[in-house]
Amino acid sequence: MLAVIFGRQSCPYCVRAKELAEKLTAERDDFNFHYVDIQAEGITKADLEQKVGKPVETVPQIFVDQQHVGGFTEFNAWSKANLGVAL
């Protein structure tokens, strides 16, 4: 499974989401992730809203296998429920 995390460096929840993804990658053979720095990539709020399919106010925005999970809190809960790992 592949997680894609859209975030930015100055965001503490983005940092935590990346930490959780790194933990999952280290503990599981079937998990990997890609972190996209929206500022470095020039991705706008409108771009994210188009990808998510609804208005977004915050980052990170996280997808697992192209399914939108939500932000860090939702990703952490998803990870705990589906993979037995959480921060």
Side-chain angles (χ1 to χ4, degrees):
M1 89 191 49
L2 176 67
V4 179
I5 303 169
F6 292 88
R8 56 184 165 77
Q9 288 184 357
S10 60
C11 164
Y13 286 104
C14 299
V15 171
R16 293 196 68 201
K18 191 174 175 183
E19 287 173 354
L20 176 55
E22 288 169 345
K23 180 177 181 178
L24 288 166
T25 299
E27 293 182 8
R28 299 182 59 96
D29 292 335
D30 64 347
F31 189 90
N32 207 339
F33 78 99
H34 178 66
Y35 184 83
V36 180
D37 185 323
I38 62 171
Q39 291 173 322
E41 297 292 326
I43 296 171
T44 66
K45 179 181 171 187
D47 295 334
L48 270 182
E49 289 177 344
Q50 184 176 8
K51 181 142 183 73
V52 170
K54 64 182 181 179
V56 296
E57 297 297 323
T58 61
V59 286
Q61 292 297 320
I62 303 165
F63 293 80
V64 176
D65 290 339
Q66 300 181 349
Q67 287 288 111
H68 184 245
V69 173
F72 168 73
T73 303
E74 294 83 7
F75 180 46
N76 197 41
W78 177 91
S79 175
K80 185 176 184 179
N82 293 284
L83 305 176
V85 178
L87 282 185

